[in-house]
Structures are given as structure tokens and as C-alpha cells.
Amino acid sequence: MNSVPLMSAPSTSRYTILDRPNFKFGALMGRWESLLVLLLIAVFAINGALLPHFLDLDNLADGTFNFSEKALIALPMALLIICREIDISVAGILALSSVAMGLANTAGWPPESLLFVGVGTGVVCGALNGVLVTHFALPSIVVTIGTVSVFRGLASVVLGDQAFTGYPQLMADWGQGYFFGSLPREFTVLLVFAALFGFMLHATSWGRRIYAIGNNPVAARFSGISVDRYRFMLFVLTGAMAGLAAFLLTGRIGSTRPNIAMGWELEVITMVILGGVSISGGVGTIGGVMLAVLTLGAVTFGLSLANIPGIYMTISVGVLLLVTIALPRLLRGRKVAK
């Protein structure tokens, strides 16, 4: 009997626009990243035409400081959402990590140790989230809504109405410094981690298991994948990256205050969802997330050059998040109705 060749399953990291393979406009445009590229070009063209200093290379380099720390957290957040989980507590972890570094600095710890203090605090916070989600089978959104209040509350209790200042020059060098006089160190760190996360997700068996868990966690468990272990690791990784972001942000602004990184969780999640990561899990790419990061960064940088108040930036980010989540569902509803 002649064997019938089996067709290989489509890669989970390749998908059409709006994650709707049969949607005609999506088939025309190709991938979601294609739309993001066009959107990024449009943002640069409009801002460049309206704002005379927008396309200045030095200004663009300085503009990366506004999103690099958030983007570092968005990378592991993308993996979590692909796995059908979420971490709302990242801004609280960042605040508590910054406070821990402030305490260590006040106690006279060596400057080189502060990075490990920040990342270590993030790991502990992420591990707490991971244990509550995996061991006690609690919904991650409920757990992290609770823990963000705990982490932010602890930071506020320690600080009161005071602030930690007087951080060592080493932190300022990484938070404010440049390589070769023009390439921001923070942005360089972001590019290195984006390449690392992209390789792990798209070129390793570890990444394929992440997609498998997101597509069907029950089937993944029966196929021998330790689903809870992977989820726990991702929560720890997210906490660690929040701790790294705390080190860079604290070095950039030179102080730790109770409201540090307030509201960042919304912007981080917006970066991930706009980047094409499905809120239902199982779909998304690091490349898409980075394109969304650059697009949002260009939008907010343009608004700041135009002296638009920060509250309008917050409103625009919230509207963009709602549109990004709702549009694919609305288009799918139209297709079903036809």
C-alpha cells in the first residue's frame, strides 16, 4: 500500500494578520507584522512632517529612554500571555525592587551588588506569583491584581513620604549612558534581550513547548510537557526582568519614590497585544512585540515633542489597547455574519 504523505502542521509562530487565516484582507496583507511595519512608517512620516526635530538622530536616540525599560518587561510578558497567563503586578515588582536597591545602597552595599539585589527581589516576587498560580491553581489575573497591591504597598510603607537618592555613578552610567557616544545603553540591553528571547521562542524546543501550552494546555500536559513548571519559570523570568528594569530606571532618574513606574502594567500589556500576541494564548512573535514597542515609542515621543499633556498619552494608550483587542473579534464577527 502506498503511504500517503502527511502535511506538516503550520508553525505556531507564523500566522496571518489578525490571526484569521481565512480573512481576505489578512491574506492580502500577509502577516500582522506587515501592518505594524506600515503603521510604524506612517507614524514616522506624519511626525516627521509635523515636527521639525522628530527625525533628528540624537533626538530619536534619546527617545528610546522612554520605552526601553517597559519593553524589557514586555518580552517575558509576551511569553506569559502566549501561555494563557498574565502578570498585572510587574509595576509593583519594579517598585519593590527599586526600594530594595535603595535600602542596600543606604546600608553601604557595593554598587555592583545593586543589580543582583534588584533582580533577586524580582525573582522572589515572580516566584510568589508562580507558586500561587501553579501550586494553588488560582487565576493569574486575580493573583497578580492582589500581589501588585502587596508589592506597591510594601514599597510605600518602607518609603513613606521620603525617597531614596544618592545612587552610585555605576547605575547612572547604565540608566543614562551611551555606547560610542550615541547608542543608548538601555536600548542596547533591550536589543540583546530581544534577540535572546526571539531565539528561545522561535528556534528552540523550549519555545515550541510554550506555543503548545498556549494552544492546548491539557494536550500539552498529556504529551509529557510539565505545564506548571513552564508557567512557574515564566513568572520568575518576568519578575527578574522587572528587577532589571528597576535597576535601569532607578539609575536613569536617580531616585526611588513610592509612585515609581505607576501604571506601567497597562503600557506593557499594550505593547504585547499590539504586537500580535493573542490574549487567548498560543499565538505571537517577539518580532511583532518589538515592532509594537517601536511604534508606541514613536507615538509617545511625537506627542511629547508636540507638548501634549501626559494624560492624553495615557488615554491614547488605553484606546489603542481596546481597539487592538476588539478589532479582530469584530472582524471575525462580520465574517461569520456573511
PDB file of all heavy atoms in Angstrom, residues 259-275:
ATOM      1  N   ASN A 259       5.701  56.317  43.863  1.00  0.00           N
ATOM      2  CA  ASN A 259       4.925  56.221  42.620  1.00  0.00           C
ATOM      3  C   ASN A 259       5.770  55.818  41.421  1.00  0.00           C
ATOM      4  O   ASN A 259       5.337  55.981  40.275  1.00  0.00           O
ATOM      5  CB  ASN A 259       4.235  57.551  42.329  1.00  0.00           C
ATOM      6  CG  ASN A 259       5.232  58.679  42.085  1.00  0.00           C
ATOM      7  OD1 ASN A 259       6.418  58.556  42.403  1.00  0.00           O
ATOM      8  ND2 ASN A 259       4.747  59.778  41.528  1.00  0.00           N
ATOM      9  N   ILE A 260       6.943  55.277  41.645  1.00  0.00           N
ATOM     10  CA  ILE A 260       7.796  54.893  40.529  1.00  0.00           C
ATOM     11  C   ILE A 260       7.104  53.838  39.668  1.00  0.00           C
ATOM     12  O   ILE A 260       6.501  52.894  40.163  1.00  0.00           O
ATOM     13  CB  ILE A 260       9.168  54.373  41.041  1.00  0.00           C
ATOM     14  CG1 ILE A 260      10.132  54.136  39.880  1.00  0.00           C
ATOM     15  CG2 ILE A 260       9.007  53.128  41.890  1.00  0.00           C
ATOM     16  CD1 ILE A 260      11.557  53.805  40.326  1.00  0.00           C
ATOM     17  N   ALA A 261       7.147  54.037  38.356  1.00  0.00           N
ATOM     18  CA  ALA A 261       6.560  53.100  37.370  1.00  0.00           C
ATOM     19  C   ALA A 261       5.059  52.910  37.562  1.00  0.00           C
ATOM     20  O   ALA A 261       4.511  51.891  37.158  1.00  0.00           O
ATOM     21  CB  ALA A 261       7.265  51.756  37.423  1.00  0.00           C
ATOM     22  N   MET A 262       4.377  53.890  38.109  1.00  0.00           N
ATOM     23  CA  MET A 262       2.934  53.772  38.313  1.00  0.00           C
ATOM     24  C   MET A 262       2.221  53.652  36.962  1.00  0.00           C
ATOM     25  O   MET A 262       2.427  54.449  36.057  1.00  0.00           O
ATOM     26  CB  MET A 262       2.408  54.993  39.070  1.00  0.00           C
ATOM     27  CG  MET A 262       0.935  54.910  39.442  1.00  0.00           C
ATOM     28  SD  MET A 262       0.643  53.699  40.744  1.00  0.00           S
ATOM     29  CE  MET A 262       1.284  54.574  42.172  1.00  0.00           C
ATOM     30  N   GLY A 263       1.369  52.635  36.820  1.00  0.00           N
ATOM     31  CA  GLY A 263       0.600  52.443  35.603  1.00  0.00           C
ATOM     32  C   GLY A 263       1.335  51.771  34.458  1.00  0.00           C
ATOM     33  O   GLY A 263       0.782  51.625  33.358  1.00  0.00           O
ATOM     34  N   TRP A 264       2.547  51.329  34.685  1.00  0.00           N
ATOM     35  CA  TRP A 264       3.320  50.726  33.600  1.00  0.00           C
ATOM     36  C   TRP A 264       2.722  49.419  33.099  1.00  0.00           C
ATOM     37  O   TRP A 264       2.937  49.046  31.947  1.00  0.00           O
ATOM     38  CB  TRP A 264       4.763  50.486  34.069  1.00  0.00           C
ATOM     39  CG  TRP A 264       5.640  51.684  33.892  1.00  0.00           C
ATOM     40  CD1 TRP A 264       5.256  52.994  33.871  1.00  0.00           C
ATOM     41  CD2 TRP A 264       7.056  51.674  33.693  1.00  0.00           C
ATOM     42  NE1 TRP A 264       6.351  53.810  33.697  1.00  0.00           N
ATOM     43  CE2 TRP A 264       7.468  53.035  33.587  1.00  0.00           C
ATOM     44  CE3 TRP A 264       8.017  50.680  33.629  1.00  0.00           C
ATOM     45  CZ2 TRP A 264       8.799  53.391  33.388  1.00  0.00           C
ATOM     46  CZ3 TRP A 264       9.347  51.035  33.438  1.00  0.00           C
ATOM     47  CH2 TRP A 264       9.730  52.388  33.316  1.00  0.00           C
ATOM     48  N   GLU A 265       1.985  48.705  33.961  1.00  0.00           N
ATOM     49  CA  GLU A 265       1.447  47.425  33.519  1.00  0.00           C
ATOM     50  C   GLU A 265       0.541  47.591  32.301  1.00  0.00           C
ATOM     51  O   GLU A 265       0.530  46.742  31.398  1.00  0.00           O
ATOM     52  CB  GLU A 265       0.702  46.727  34.659  1.00  0.00           C
ATOM     53  CG  GLU A 265      -0.451  47.514  35.262  1.00  0.00           C
ATOM     54  CD  GLU A 265      -0.005  48.510  36.321  1.00  0.00           C
ATOM     55  OE1 GLU A 265       1.149  48.434  36.775  1.00  0.00           O
ATOM     56  OE2 GLU A 265      -0.832  49.365  36.687  1.00  0.00           O
ATOM     57  N   LEU A 266      -0.216  48.705  32.227  1.00  0.00           N
ATOM     58  CA  LEU A 266      -1.087  48.946  31.082  1.00  0.00           C
ATOM     59  C   LEU A 266      -0.271  49.108  29.814  1.00  0.00           C
ATOM     60  O   LEU A 266      -0.593  48.524  28.770  1.00  0.00           O
ATOM     61  CB  LEU A 266      -1.937  50.195  31.333  1.00  0.00           C
ATOM     62  CG  LEU A 266      -2.769  50.685  30.135  1.00  0.00           C
ATOM     63  CD1 LEU A 266      -3.799  49.649  29.729  1.00  0.00           C
ATOM     64  CD2 LEU A 266      -3.438  52.023  30.458  1.00  0.00           C
ATOM     65  N   GLU A 267       0.796  49.882  29.881  1.00  0.00           N
ATOM     66  CA  GLU A 267       1.607  50.114  28.688  1.00  0.00           C
ATOM     67  C   GLU A 267       2.337  48.851  28.250  1.00  0.00           C
ATOM     68  O   GLU A 267       2.477  48.595  27.045  1.00  0.00           O
ATOM     69  CB  GLU A 267       2.596  51.250  28.963  1.00  0.00           C
ATOM     70  CG  GLU A 267       1.941  52.586  29.250  1.00  0.00           C
ATOM     71  CD  GLU A 267       2.948  53.706  29.426  1.00  0.00           C
ATOM     72  OE1 GLU A 267       3.789  53.899  28.528  1.00  0.00           O
ATOM     73  OE2 GLU A 267       2.906  54.378  30.462  1.00  0.00           O
ATOM     74  N   VAL A 268       2.805  48.059  29.196  1.00  0.00           N
ATOM     75  CA  VAL A 268       3.493  46.809  28.856  1.00  0.00           C
ATOM     76  C   VAL A 268       2.542  45.854  28.156  1.00  0.00           C
ATOM     77  O   VAL A 268       2.872  45.256  27.111  1.00  0.00           O
ATOM     78  CB  VAL A 268       4.082  46.164  30.129  1.00  0.00           C
ATOM     79  CG1 VAL A 268       4.556  44.746  29.836  1.00  0.00           C
ATOM     80  CG2 VAL A 268       5.241  47.000  30.667  1.00  0.00           C
ATOM     81  N   ILE A 269       1.346  45.698  28.701  1.00  0.00           N
ATOM     82  CA  ILE A 269       0.365  44.787  28.089  1.00  0.00           C
ATOM     83  C   ILE A 269      -0.047  45.304  26.718  1.00  0.00           C
ATOM     84  O   ILE A 269      -0.240  44.519  25.779  1.00  0.00           O
ATOM     85  CB  ILE A 269      -0.846  44.615  29.019  1.00  0.00           C
ATOM     86  CG1 ILE A 269      -0.424  43.875  30.293  1.00  0.00           C
ATOM     87  CG2 ILE A 269      -1.967  43.849  28.315  1.00  0.00           C
ATOM     88  CD1 ILE A 269      -1.489  43.838  31.364  1.00  0.00           C
ATOM     89  N   THR A 270      -0.165  46.628  26.562  1.00  0.00           N
ATOM     90  CA  THR A 270      -0.499  47.200  25.258  1.00  0.00           C
ATOM     91  C   THR A 270       0.568  46.862  24.227  1.00  0.00           C
ATOM     92  O   THR A 270       0.262  46.516  23.082  1.00  0.00           O
ATOM     93  CB  THR A 270      -0.668  48.723  25.363  1.00  0.00           C
ATOM     94  OG1 THR A 270      -1.688  49.025  26.315  1.00  0.00           O
ATOM     95  CG2 THR A 270      -1.059  49.320  24.018  1.00  0.00           C
ATOM     96  N   MET A 271       1.834  46.964  24.610  1.00  0.00           N
ATOM     97  CA  MET A 271       2.918  46.607  23.695  1.00  0.00           C
ATOM     98  C   MET A 271       2.777  45.167  23.219  1.00  0.00           C
ATOM     99  O   MET A 271       2.958  44.860  22.035  1.00  0.00           O
ATOM    100  CB  MET A 271       4.270  46.782  24.389  1.00  0.00           C
ATOM    101  CG  MET A 271       4.680  48.207  24.646  1.00  0.00           C
ATOM    102  SD  MET A 271       6.220  48.285  25.628  1.00  0.00           S
ATOM    103  CE  MET A 271       6.512  50.059  25.653  1.00  0.00           C
ATOM    104  N   VAL A 272       2.444  44.271  24.158  1.00  0.00           N
ATOM    105  CA  VAL A 272       2.375  42.845  23.821  1.00  0.00           C
ATOM    106  C   VAL A 272       1.181  42.560  22.911  1.00  0.00           C
ATOM    107  O   VAL A 272       1.312  41.877  21.887  1.00  0.00           O
ATOM    108  CB  VAL A 272       2.287  42.009  25.110  1.00  0.00           C
ATOM    109  CG1 VAL A 272       2.077  40.531  24.776  1.00  0.00           C
ATOM    110  CG2 VAL A 272       3.550  42.180  25.939  1.00  0.00           C
ATOM    111  N   ILE A 273       0.009  43.085  23.265  1.00  0.00           N
ATOM    112  CA  ILE A 273      -1.193  42.809  22.477  1.00  0.00           C
ATOM    113  C   ILE A 273      -1.108  43.467  21.107  1.00  0.00           C
ATOM    114  O   ILE A 273      -1.457  42.865  20.089  1.00  0.00           O
ATOM    115  CB  ILE A 273      -2.451  43.285  23.229  1.00  0.00           C
ATOM    116  CG1 ILE A 273      -2.545  42.603  24.597  1.00  0.00           C
ATOM    117  CG2 ILE A 273      -3.702  42.991  22.411  1.00  0.00           C
ATOM    118  CD1 ILE A 273      -2.577  41.102  24.551  1.00  0.00           C
ATOM    119  N   LEU A 274      -0.639  44.712  21.063  1.00  0.00           N
ATOM    120  CA  LEU A 274      -0.458  45.377  19.772  1.00  0.00           C
ATOM    121  C   LEU A 274       0.548  44.628  18.916  1.00  0.00           C
ATOM    122  O   LEU A 274       0.451  44.627  17.686  1.00  0.00           O
ATOM    123  CB  LEU A 274       0.011  46.826  19.985  1.00  0.00           C
ATOM    124  CG  LEU A 274       0.258  47.649  18.717  1.00  0.00           C
ATOM    125  CD1 LEU A 274      -1.026  47.808  17.908  1.00  0.00           C
ATOM    126  CD2 LEU A 274       0.832  49.021  19.068  1.00  0.00           C
ATOM    127  N   GLY A 275       1.499  43.949  19.537  1.00  0.00           N
ATOM    128  CA  GLY A 275       2.496  43.188  18.799  1.00  0.00           C
ATOM    129  C   GLY A 275       1.982  41.899  18.197  1.00  0.00           C
ATOM    130  O   GLY A 275       2.744  41.168  17.563  1.00  0.00           O
TER     131      GLY A 275
END
